Amino acid sequence: MLIQVFKPPPLLSFTQLVCRRDSRTLFAGIDYVISKGEIVQITGPNGIGKTTLLRAIMGLMPDYDGEIRWQGQPIDDVRYDFTRELLFIGHLTGVKKSLTPRENLLFLANLQDNSSLLEIDDALEQVGLYGYEDMLGDQLSAGQYRRVALARLYLSQASIWILDEPYTALDVQAVASLEALFVAHAQQGGCVIFTSHQAPSITALRVLPLNDCQFQSQLEEGDDEI
């Protein structure tokens, strides 16, 4: 008697993903699978489409060819459930300089996470902002400003973390702490997808180089012209 073992679908999968900006193909032919517990870095030079790919994954840029699936289902069919599992921190952090770090996180918590004040203060301490909770954002350094946004990682229940250039303005110690948090999240069954020009010190790291995908797309365009 044959025993069939159920294999769950991957957390995220991309099939023949193609994205164009105006008449230029940014990347093409991306077939990629991301499972629970993985950390993926998207690499490539400026302008190649790293942020565009992140936006496509999140459903913020519907103008692409190919298919993106979450747990085996097209993301357009499970939009509400899918977006509840996402946490995005972009190059523009979404932190208001007119508010204090505590006020910023309270505002964001009320939108989704509903974290307590104690949890918010603990998150700020985790990112090295103990004692800065009530300082206005325009009095913080660029690195401290970035840390306010990254404190959301300690508060979120989302399984998929998507970050655009998260190392920007961070010192060496802050980068090490952030990478340790990435690893801990992956070990708990989550996944992390991020862009960066830096080389992370993460052992179990997968890399998706978009310059390879762009090269493939240029070959395909050249074939069409022959």
Side-chain angles (χ1 to χ4, degrees), residues 145-187:
Y145 190 61
R146 169 72 54 177
R147 292 184 192 202
V148 175
L150 294 174
R152 296 175 58 198
L153 298 174
Y154 289 92
L155 301 172
S156 176
Q157 301 300 313
S159 62
I160 303 171
W161 292 356
I162 298 179
L163 303 98
D164 195 4
E165 298 290 348
Y167 297 152
T168 300
L170 296 183
D171 58 30
V172 173
Q173 182 178 354
V175 169
S177 297
L178 179 61
E179 291 183 351
L181 185 59
F182 285 173
V183 172
H185 182 63
Q187 290 174 341

Side-chain angles (χ1 to χ4, degrees), residues 105-181:
L105 293 183
L106 277 171
F107 172 76
L108 294 170
N110 288 333
L111 292 178
Q112 185 173 18
D113 300 317
N114 200 28
S115 303
S116 68
L117 184 59
L118 182 63
E119 291 170 325
I120 287 172
D121 285 350
D122 181 65
L124 290 171
E125 183 175 358
Q126 292 289 338
V127 296
L129 290 178
Y130 176 78
Y132 294 87
E133 299 91 344
D134 294 317
M135 182 176 290
L136 287 177
D138 58 6
Q139 299 176 26
L140 300 175
S141 69
Q144 290 170 329
Y145 190 61
R146 169 72 54 177
R147 292 184 192 202
V148 175
L150 294 174
R152 296 175 58 198
L153 298 174
Y154 289 92
L155 301 172
S156 176
Q157 301 300 313
S159 62
I160 303 171
W161 292 356
I162 298 179
L163 303 98
D164 195 4
E165 298 290 348
Y167 297 152
T168 300
L170 296 183
D171 58 30
V172 173
Q173 182 178 354
V175 169
S177 297
L178 179 61
E179 291 183 351
L181 185 59

Side-chain angles (χ1 to χ4, degrees), residues 46-60:
N46 291 335
I48 202 168
K50 298 185 298 297
T51 299
T52 300
L53 177 56
L54 295 185
R55 292 176 61 83
I57 295 171
M58 294 182 294
L60 297 178

